[in-house]
Amino acid sequence: MKDLGLAKQILGMKITCDRKKEKLWLSQEIYVQKILERFNMSNFKPVCSPLASHFKLSSKQCPSSDEERDEMEKVPYASAVGSLMNAMVCTGPDIAYAIGRGEQKNQKTDETEKTEKKN
């Protein structure tokens, strides 16, 4: 058996260790970068805090015309949220609030669309 030294990666997560401070960090930066590329968001501006406390989602931001609704049906929003939730559960509780708020808005939009289709 050969000692390969400290682990640098596990299950796609980068491992960073500071033995003096007895700290261990896991990072899914590469996974998140792949998600952003898949959903054409890799050129977006990164921020330190994923969602400012004053940021509000409003129904005014929802598609209002049939053309806008048709265009939004092409956006795999639920898939993007699910992919980010995977990163959140594993290593990124700091993005939990932003993803949760986005998913709440997505569910409200779905409910509004179902109501409109019934009428």
Side-chain angles (χ1 to χ4, degrees):
M1 191 177 272
K2 182 178 178 183
D3 183 2
L4 300 175
L6 293 175
K8 292 180 176 46
Q9 188 172 344
I10 185 167
L11 300 174
M13 293 180 277
K14 180 182 172 187
I15 302 171
T16 306
C17 179
D18 184 339
R19 288 183 171 234
K20 290 180 183 178
K21 294 182 181 179
E22 297 181 352
K23 301 275 184 178
L24 180 72
W25 295 272
L26 297 176
S27 170
Q28 287 190 312
E29 182 178 353
I30 295 169
Y31 173 74
V32 171
Q33 191 62 38
K34 286 179 183 179
I35 293 170
L36 295 174
E37 288 171 7
R38 183 173 7 147
F39 296 104
N40 298 319
M41 299 169 66
S42 58
N43 293 330
F44 283 21
K45 180 182 174 185
V47 294
C48 294
S49 175
L51 187 64
S53 60
H54 67 277
F55 185 80
K56 303 287 185 216
L57 295 174
S58 165
S59 58
K60 293 176 184 176
Q61 296 169 312
C62 292
S64 56
S65 70
D66 288 337
E67 290 175 357
E68 288 177 343
R69 284 188 198 97
D70 289 342
E71 190 63 31
M72 284 304 294
E73 285 182 10
K74 298 175 188 174
V75 177
Y77 184 78
S79 181
V81 169
S83 297
L84 291 171
M85 286 181 79
N86 180 50
M88 172 192 73
V89 168
C90 293
T91 59
D94 59 321
I95 66 172
Y97 179 74
I99 292 173
R101 292 293 304 263
E103 183 56 23
Q104 286 174 353
K105 186 63 183 164
N106 185 45
Q107 288 175 357
K108 288 180 184 177
T109 301
D110 287 347
E111 291 170 9
T112 303
E113 288 176 5
K114 288 176 187 174
T115 304
E116 287 176 358
K117 286 179 183 178
K118 287 181 184 177
N119 295 332

